Amino acid sequence: MDFLAPSHTEVKKSTKAPWKILIVDDDPDVHEVTKIAVAGCVFEDRAFELVHALSAEEARQILSDNDDIAVALVDVVMESDTAGLGLVRWIRSELGNHFTRLILRTGQPGYAPQTDVIMKFDIDGYTEKAELSRTKLITAIVTALRGYKLVMSLETNRQKLQQLNAHFAAIVEKNALSEFAAAVLKHFDDLVGQPVDCLLCGLEALPEYGKIDRSKIRVLAASGDFEDKIDLPVELVGDDAIRNSINECIESHETCSTSQGVALPLVTRNGMAGALYLGITEAALEELVGPEVVKLFVSNVALGYEKTGLLEHIRNLAYVDRVTGLSTFSGFIESFQRNSSQHTSLLVVHSEIQRFGVIVDGIGDEKASAVLRRTGHRLSQTFPDALTIARKEKDEFLILLKGGEDNKVQDVVARVEDAFQDAIAIDDNQISLRLRLGFATRDNENQGAEETIRFASIALNDVRQKGLTNHAVFHPLMQEAAFERLRLASLLTGSSNQTEFSVHYQPIMKARDESIASFEALMRFKTPGGSYLNTARMIEAAEASGLISEIGAWMFKSAFSEFVQMQGLSESARLNVNLSPRQVQSNRIYKDIEEAVTAANLPLNRLVFEVTEGLFISNDQVTVSLLSWLRSKGAKVVIDDFGTGYSSFSYLRKLPVDGIKIDRSFIMNMDQDSDALAVVKSIIAVAQALDLSITAEGVETETQKNIMQELRCDYLQGYHYAKPLSSTEIPAFVHKANG
């Protein structure tokens, strides 16, 4: 019998799982002969493993318990004439097994199944046992195994594609690159059916102008032995072969294989270059998954990477400031809202760089942007506990902190001051920065982000207006004051017949002989009805609305022109003009002064510029430079309202000033208040020691005049001599004073 196996069969050992072949026959001899015939057979490096059933019922049990039977050789006639056909019908219809290949055998000619049965139940072959030689048996089995391998490959691909669809939906729903990358690796492990060492490398943001900076390609996600590589630049991945294959893959957009693994390119249309590195060989990958599925998986990942990168880019445009890398205002609002449900108390700090416009003019926009970046970096280092830090606009920053005892206002102020003790170096420039701060707390659930930020902004504006400190905490009265400034500012921005500007002049007399030493120019604002508005509040409104420079320039021209036309004044008589903090910070101040003195043909040495103590709070170089320039041109500089600001004498000797004006609050009470008199005496003594001129404001009585003369005060000003006079009233006063 040529189907008998050779007596010396060489059995090849294989590490792969064997092919399971079910023999269904009620004749034990058939089982034995089949076993002998296929002994030692190997197909595609996999041996044959025979499983035996002596009846259709026994075969049903085996097939129910084993879903990996590759081929079943079924006897047609067993316990009944159609037992084999009934088994086949059960396998295909009831068990739902469409993968096991079926070969029918019969030892009784005439019991062959009809053609429609063979076609209906997907039967691979039919033969009589007498015709089935060893060669034909093995041929039939191998042919059936090829069919089994094909249908199983198709089924595996179908399942993998189905899995891919589910994975793709789960992957593309991720809107953050880190989440997307982690999801890719998780779903790849599920697809392969076993853990794989993986690296997903790529860019964290869309490349600018389409140019890819290779140094910015990082490990976005990692698994297995590579887990410690997350967030590292690819260039720091230690293994040369892995690093080179990833770089080559990204550069060429081609698959790069090594003996250790394979790098698959993620090709996108928007320049989000990337690669998926797998710690298994390309051959093993294709065997586990299939080349078509691998290709489709990588295509899906590339699409998801492209989409997620674009969303991240859009989100960055909305929530990441391109200059500083901090949050944007929109991002700050989102963070505030997110944290408002977790923290009952939140503290908003609205800060700005003092005189940033001067910095921009001095070093240019590009270097000024570097200053903003360094400022943001210092704030981030100073407040690692911040819930978020944002750049609001231009040179303004917002800091969101937990409220309550965790962050007291004075502690926050101290941290900011310490952070900016050292200058910022930009090329050869050493730039010292000082920040103003406005604080507002969110203590009730109904107070939203915009409202809290607005309160902090109102507090910051209060700092700008008063200039006495570098910070303020919001109080409801500030909001009322801000509204009033807005109302008054609207009077300034209307047509010329709404608010009339004029200059009045109050004389300043020499204490020694009560002759005219100077006139102080004072702005006046008259309504269409003829009533005068409060000057101090109108000046505040002008500063808040940004009109102070225009109004100041108008005042310079008008006052200088009227002053030179005053008759009867000696050549030594001077004109005093006030400079507001906002004017001093303006870049146009030099031009405004020079144009006004040129137009009036008025020498600068006949001018005295009055500034408040608050102007020197930060000892700013811009202020010092302006005052030094004025003095170099022959003008005098005096500190107005002295005693109400620093209340400190030590800084006087360091400032470029020529004199002081003692605030009226001390002068008006000194004849009745010994403490006020003591303060006046102290101020005069220090000023005289520093060789500074002294002007007493608010002199209203003969007694006050006599006291100041006895104390050797230099100049006297107040209603005792005259109220502020219009230009038409000046001639009469000059005539009387000279008489």
Side-chain angles (χ1 to χ4, degrees):
M1 297 173 64
D2 67 351
F3 60 80
L4 292 176
S7 56
H8 301 289
T9 304
E10 182 181 349
V11 180
K12 297 181 179 179
K13 292 184 178 181
S14 172
T15 58
K16 296 182 178 180
W19 301 104
K20 286 187 178 182
I21 302 170
L22 175 62
I23 311 299
V24 186
D25 203 296
D26 58 354
D27 185 350
D29 290 340
V30 172
H31 290 273
E32 190 62 31
V33 170
T34 304
K35 182 178 179 181
I36 295 171
V38 301
C41 287
V42 175
F43 174 63
E44 292 190 351
D45 199 27
R46 296 173 66 181
F48 292 1
E49 177 186 333
L50 299 185
V51 182
H52 302 277
L54 293 172
S55 66
E57 188 60 34
E58 188 179 350
R60 285 188 178 92
Q61 187 61 49
I62 292 171
L63 287 163
S64 297
D65 295 340
N66 297 271
D67 60 0
D68 57 349
I69 302 295
V71 179
L73 286 85
V74 181
D75 189 10
V76 175
V77 181
M78 290 182 287
E79 56 261 49
S80 68
D81 291 345
T82 59
L85 294 179
L87 176 63
V88 167
R89 184 181 292 108
W90 177 86
I91 291 172
R92 295 302 192 218
S93 299
E94 295 185 38
L95 184 61
N97 181 341
H98 299 284
F99 308 116
T100 299
R101 310 325 301 156
L102 303 175
I103 301 174
L104 294 179
R105 298 193 295 182
T106 183
Q108 302 179 36
Y111 285 90
Q114 297 176 358
T115 304
D116 62 335
V117 174
I118 294 175
M119 297 178 66
K120 180 178 180 180
F121 296 111
D122 189 19
I123 297 171
D124 288 82
Y126 168 77
T127 185
E128 294 182 9
K129 294 178 183 178
E131 299 174 351
L132 202 57
S133 64
R134 177 178 184 273
T135 302
K136 288 183 178 179
L137 175 63
I138 293 174
T139 301
I141 291 174
V142 169
T143 301
L145 287 174
R146 286 197 176 101
Y148 176 77
K149 181 184 176 185
L150 177 60
V151 295
M152 288 306 294
S153 175
L154 292 173
E155 174 61 13
T156 299
N157 281 348
R158 185 191 69 78
Q159 292 178 355
K160 295 295 184 185
L161 289 173
Q162 192 175 35
Q163 203 175 0
L164 266 183
N165 286 335
H167 288 172
F168 182 61
I171 289 172
V172 296
E173 73 177 6
K174 306 297 183 184
N175 293 328
L177 271 175
S178 58
E179 294 179 2
F180 163 79
V184 167
L185 301 194
K186 176 185 180 298
H187 291 299
F188 180 77
D189 281 355
D190 293 342
L191 190 66
V192 175
Q194 65 185 49
V196 179
D197 300 333
C198 298
L199 292 169
L200 182 59
C201 307
L203 297 170
E204 294 178 308
L206 284 176
E208 293 186 6
Y209 314 112
K211 294 182 179 179
I212 299 173
D213 184 351
R214 302 293 175 190
S215 66
K216 293 185 178 179
I217 297 178
R218 309 180 71 82
V219 177
L220 303 178
S223 63
D225 291 341
F226 299 138
E227 279 187 341
D228 61 338
K229 303 295 189 293
I230 293 177
D231 260 352
L232 286 179
V234 169
E235 295 306 316
L236 295 183
V237 174
D239 190 293
D240 291 343
I242 295 175
R243 184 176 63 255
N244 292 338
S245 65
I246 292 172
N247 286 332
E248 183 181 345
C249 174
I250 293 174
E251 186 72 38
S252 65
H253 292 180
E254 299 289 341
T255 298
C256 295
S257 293
T258 68
S259 59
Q260 297 173 273
V262 57
L264 306 170
L266 304 179
V267 181
T268 69
R269 295 165 297 180
N270 60 2
M272 292 289 289
L276 176 62
Y277 180 84
L278 311 172
I280 56 175
T281 63
E282 186 175 5
L285 176 63
E286 292 183 353
E287 183 175 344
L288 287 168
V289 182
E292 295 83 4
V293 176
V294 171
K295 185 175 181 181
L296 188 56
F297 178 79
V298 172
S299 296
N300 284 347
V301 171
L303 284 173
Y305 181 42
E306 179 179 313
K307 167 258 182 186
T308 309
L310 183 59
L311 283 178
E312 191 105 331
H313 179 66
I314 293 171
R315 189 181 188 283
N316 285 345
L317 290 177
Y319 294 124
V320 179
D321 179 59
R322 292 177 64 82
V323 175
T324 63
L326 299 174
S327 176
T328 60
F329 182 70
S330 298
F332 187 90
I333 295 290
E334 182 188 57
S335 182
F336 185 102
Q337 293 170 340
R338 186 173 62 252
N339 284 282
S340 61
S341 60
Q342 303 172 19
H343 303 288
T344 55
S345 179
L346 294 173
L347 178 66
V348 171
V349 186
H350 188 182
S351 65
E352 70 172 0
I353 302 172
Q354 294 187 36
R355 287 171 278 282
F356 184 71
V358 177
I359 295 174
V360 174
D361 291 341
I363 63 177
D365 289 329
E366 185 175 347
K367 291 180 180 179
S369 294
V371 171
L372 292 174
R373 283 193 295 273
R374 301 281 184 86
T375 302
H377 181 65
R378 285 200 183 179
L379 289 175
S380 297
Q381 288 183 314
T382 304
F383 296 99
D385 55 330
L387 300 174
T388 188
I389 300 176
R391 178 175 173 241
K392 186 173 183 286
E393 56 183 289
K394 198 179 176 183
D395 61 325
E396 297 179 18
F397 296 85
L398 291 169
I399 307 169
L400 182 63
L401 300 166
K402 294 179 183 178
E405 292 298 313
D406 292 331
N407 291 290
K408 295 180 180 179
V409 168
Q410 290 301 329
D411 292 340
V412 173
V413 172
R415 289 165 72 179
V416 171
E417 290 177 344
D418 289 344
F420 291 92
Q421 283 296 319
D422 296 332
I424 288 177
I426 304 294
D427 294 337
D428 296 332
N429 301 298
Q430 295 291 323
I431 301 173
S432 295
L433 299 183
R434 293 292 178 268
L435 268 60
R436 298 188 185 96
L437 308 170
F439 293 84
T441 57
R442 182 251 189 202
D443 292 320
N444 67 79
E445 296 180 357
N446 297 325
Q447 186 173 308
E450 290 85 352
E451 187 177 19
T452 309
I453 294 168
R454 180 164 57 84
F455 290 165
S457 299
I458 290 172
L460 176 61
N461 198 49
D462 192 73
V463 177
R464 294 185 187 120
Q465 298 304 317
K466 295 179 179 177
L468 299 178
T469 63
N470 65 345
H471 71 280
V473 180
F474 173 77
H475 188 279
L477 291 177
M478 292 180 180
Q479 191 171 15
E480 295 177 18
F483 181 79
E484 178 65 9
R485 284 195 296 269
L486 177 63
R487 185 187 70 81
L488 295 175
S490 67
L491 299 176
L492 295 173
T493 56
S495 58
S496 58
N497 63 359
Q498 278 190 292
T499 302
E500 178 184 334
F501 298 167
S502 63
V503 183
H504 280 51
Y505 304 88
Q506 186 172 31
I508 300 173
M509 316 302 287
K510 295 178 182 178
R512 184 181 65 254
D513 58 10
E514 296 184 89
S515 62
I516 298 173
S518 180
F519 282 97
E520 180 180 357
L522 300 167
M523 282 291 297
R524 290 293 182 263
F525 303 88
K526 186 190 293 184
T527 67
S531 60
Y532 284 96
L533 298 167
N534 182 282
T535 301
R537 289 166 63 189
M538 291 302 293
I539 294 297
E540 282 186 7
E543 289 187 323
S545 62
L547 294 172
I548 191 63
S549 292
E550 285 76 10
I551 293 174
W554 179 91
M555 204 257 328
F556 289 153
K557 289 183 179 179
S558 299
F560 294 177
S561 175
E562 290 180 349
F563 179 70
V564 297
Q565 296 176 37
M566 292 181 184
Q567 302 294 319
L569 294 180
S570 68
E571 288 296 318
S572 64
R574 293 174 178 262
L575 177 68
N576 287 38
V577 289
N578 291 277
L579 296 178
S580 78
R582 283 295 180 92
Q583 277 181 290
V584 173
Q585 294 167 20
S586 171
N587 300 327
R588 57 179 286 181
I589 185 69
Y590 292 89
K591 180 182 177 183
D592 288 343
I593 292 173
E594 286 185 324
E595 287 184 351
V597 295
T598 300
N601 194 26
L602 174 66
L604 266 166
N605 62 13
R606 295 195 65 187
L607 293 174
V608 178
F609 290 90
E610 299 186 11
V611 295
T612 61
E613 287 182 86
L615 200 61
F616 301 102
I617 189 169
S618 61
N619 196 23
D620 179 67
Q621 188 56 44
V622 173
T623 300
V624 173
S625 296
L626 171 65
L627 301 184
S628 298
W629 176 78
L630 291 172
R631 296 180 77 209
S632 71
K633 297 293 184 179
K636 300 291 185 182
V637 175
V638 300
I639 299 177
D640 195 14
D641 302 329
F642 186 83
T644 59
Y646 276 170
S647 297
S648 170
F649 302 119
S650 60
Y651 74 99
L652 276 176
R653 59 186 177 84
K654 302 177 183 178
L655 298 178
V657 297
D658 301 282
I660 61 172
K661 295 181 74 174
I662 304 174
D663 187 70
R664 69 181 64 249
S665 62
F666 298 109
I667 304 301
M668 292 172 66
N669 297 318
M670 66 180 182
D671 54 345
Q672 300 174 4
D673 185 343
S674 59
D675 289 338
L677 180 58
V679 170
V680 170
K681 288 180 178 179
S682 298
I683 292 174
I684 292 175
V686 172
Q688 289 173 342
L690 295 174
D691 197 24
L692 298 176
S693 68
I694 307 157
T695 302
E697 296 182 291
V699 176
E700 297 187 357
T701 66
E702 186 74 17
T703 302
Q704 292 167 355
K705 180 200 77 170
N706 293 335
I707 292 173
M708 297 313 297
Q709 286 178 327
E710 290 175 6
L711 293 175
R712 292 187 296 132
C713 179
D714 298 299
Y715 305 105
L716 306 175
Q717 178 181 1
Y719 280 15
H720 179 67
Y721 295 102
K723 63 180 178 57
L725 306 169
S726 66
S727 58
T728 58
E729 295 173 309
I730 293 293
F733 177 82
V734 172
H735 178 74
K736 179 180 177 182
N738 290 339

